[in-house]
Amino acid sequence: MLVSASLVLLMTPGLAFFYGGMSRQKSVLNMMMMSFGTLGVVGVIYVLWGWSMSYAEESIGGIFGNPFEQFGLNGAIYDSAGEYLLDGGLPVIVDVGFQATFAIITVALISGALAERVKFGTWLTFAALWVTFAFFPMAHMVWGGGLLSEDGPFSDLFEGIEPIDFAGGTVVHINAGVAALVLALIIGKRAGFGKTAYRPHNLPFVMLGAALLWFGWFGFNAGSAYAADGEAGLAWVNTTTATAAAILGWLLVERIRDGKATSLGAASGIVAGLVAITPAAGSISPVGSIALGAIAGALSALAVGLKFKFGYDDSLDVVGVHLVAGLWGTVAIGFLATETGLFYGGGIGQFVVQALIALVAIVFAAVVTVIIAYMVMPLGWRISDEDEHRGIDEVEHAESAYDLA
């Protein structure tokens, strides 16, 4: 579990390379700093009240845990009898580390929708508030025994049917994807959106970032089995298979639509497949993961163009990849789950439950993000158009990625 936690932690620097490579040369450092800044903010907050809000025994309306019950991990690590252990014998402190890395990467994902135009201090303030009021409650609702968990009201709709979110389709990807869409709409477009060609400045960075994300995702998914056993092995194989299929799905769409298969498409297909398999990794078969991944890659390849059709500046395709593939992976369980899925004779119940928990996640994330976005509005979200033209790296950090002199 410590190795899995370390792999998930690596995902955030991997995301920094992925997003940084997709950015323009004058904004790459700021894009990477948004991920590294998230590491700092969330890494501290999680120990103070994040664990307690996610997994405290006292639940506030099934929405979040009491933040003061184990504030600063007080009473979470040791008691008079010694070390606290989970049911399987895992020390609680190990789970704290594992879960903290999920919180960090989820917040960092949102930053890809905000490239080149957001003040760094405002982003860090938003990150602190969003992880507190959006991520921790969602983690509690899904994994901490709350409203969307196996113990919640949705498990009573159909006999033998419980909500399934193995490693974070709702908690991580729908949550972050909805937040990215909301912020893109509220903050507005980059100064040249629709007129300027925003080409990735370093495609090898993008591919390196995708490779690190894929590597780290084995901790994300296989680690969520909480044991070195067959379930972890199934999650590992499904993660690999779905991701491989998603590459092919994305590249096929590119080939048919554009006539070329691109390195950016391959890297983006990797992420789409990883996102889609996250909620389903422990409940579908490897053959089912081929279908899930291929469809995820194709859907996301088509969805990334919606920002031009509808006019929202999702700079690095957080909505097109994480929201779309996260939704698909969550509801596809209703068809592909080997025990309860429609294609395996389980009826429509699992699909209905999955669709409902996805809908609740969308509404919750949207409402909370809107409130927080306007709460930090007095700080000022945007740098000026002139500073955006100069380059946010120079304006916000007094640095440049490349010394061309």
Side-chain angles (χ1 to χ4, degrees):
M1 289 306 299
L2 286 173
V3 170
S4 292
S6 300
L7 287 171
V8 181
L9 186 65
L10 179 66
M11 290 171 65
T12 300
L15 183 74
F17 273 101
F18 184 76
Y19 280 169
M22 289 177 71
S23 302
R24 291 190 291 178
Q25 182 176 306
K26 61 184 179 180
S27 61
V28 54
L29 290 180
N30 175 258
M31 197 68 257
M32 299 182 81
M33 278 291 287
M34 292 176 86
S35 288
F36 278 86
T38 301
L39 274 163
V41 170
V42 181
V44 171
I45 287 176
Y46 199 86
V47 167
L48 294 177
W49 62 81
W51 169 261
S52 190
M53 284 189 69
S54 302
Y55 298 104
E57 291 186 9
E58 182 185 351
S59 178
I60 311 300
I63 299 175
F64 62 92
N66 182 351
F68 304 106
E69 181 180 307
Q70 297 178 349
F71 185 87
L73 302 183
N74 182 41
I77 306 173
Y78 300 105
D79 64 4
S80 57
E83 190 174 52
Y84 276 122
L85 302 176
L86 300 178
D87 290 342
L90 183 75
V92 169
I93 190 62
V94 176
D95 196 30
V96 172
F98 184 59
Q99 295 298 332
T101 61
F102 279 67
I104 291 166
I105 185 68
T106 303
V107 180
L109 289 174
I110 302 169
S111 66
L114 311 176
E116 304 191 350
R117 60 198 188 276
V118 168
K119 294 178 180 178
F120 187 61
T122 306
W123 162 251
L124 294 185
T125 304
F126 171 84
L129 293 170
W130 192 87
V131 77
T132 298
F133 296 109
F135 180 85
F136 299 150
M138 192 75 78
H140 180 76
M141 284 191 279
V142 176
W143 296 325
L147 293 177
L148 304 183
S149 72
E150 297 174 355
D151 301 319
F154 293 101
S155 63
D156 298 327
L157 295 178
F158 301 92
E159 185 177 355
I161 301 294
E162 298 174 343
I164 297 175
D165 188 352
F166 190 73
T170 51
V171 181
V172 178
H173 299 295
I174 294 176
N175 207 4
V178 170
L181 177 59
V182 168
L183 289 182
L185 292 172
I186 291 175
I187 294 169
K189 310 167 189 175
R190 285 167 288 183
F193 182 77
K195 304 174 183 177
T196 302
Y198 294 106
R199 295 189 178 92
H201 93 285
N202 192 324
L203 285 168
F205 268 21
V206 177
M207 300 189 80
L208 172 62
L212 290 172
L213 285 167
W214 195 344
F215 183 65
W217 225 286
F218 291 121
F220 207 87
N221 286 355
S224 293
Y226 279 84
D229 60 9
E231 186 178 37
L234 177 65
W236 197 104
V237 171
N238 282 344
T239 299
T240 302
T241 307
T243 305
I247 296 173
L248 300 180
W250 191 298
L251 294 182
L252 179 62
V253 169
E254 280 194 330
R255 187 71 175 83
I256 295 171
R257 181 186 61 197
D258 308 321
K260 303 290 183 183
T262 68
S263 59
L264 179 61
S268 300
I270 286 172
V271 179
L274 292 168
V275 169
I277 195 60
T278 293
S283 60
I284 70 174
S285 71
V287 172
S289 70
I290 296 174
L292 183 141
I295 293 172
L299 285 177
S300 291
L302 295 169
V304 295
L306 294 177
K307 61 185 178 183
F308 301 110
K309 181 176 181 179
F310 294 107
Y312 60 91
D313 188 3
D314 173 26
S315 313
L316 308 182
D317 302 321
V318 185
V319 178
V321 175
H322 291 275
L323 179 55
V324 170
L327 279 170
W328 162 242
T330 298
V331 300
I333 295 170
F335 301 109
L336 297 172
T338 54
E339 295 184 3
T340 57
L342 180 63
F343 294 166
Y344 291 83
I348 199 69
Q350 191 71 64
F351 171 77
V352 173
V353 169
Q354 295 303 120
L356 287 173
I357 66 171
L359 179 61
V360 172
I362 290 171
V363 173
F364 180 84
V367 171
V368 173
T369 305
V370 167
I371 293 171
I372 297 172
Y374 282 103
M375 283 176 61
V376 301
M377 194 71 77
L379 299 176
W381 271 108
R382 298 288 297 259
I383 62 173
S384 68
D385 288 352
E386 180 183 351
D387 286 342
E388 192 177 323
H389 179 73
R390 288 171 56 199
I392 197 169
D393 286 355
E394 179 183 342
V395 171
E396 288 289 299
H397 308 290
E399 295 176 306
S400 61
Y402 306 100
D403 185 356
L404 302 180

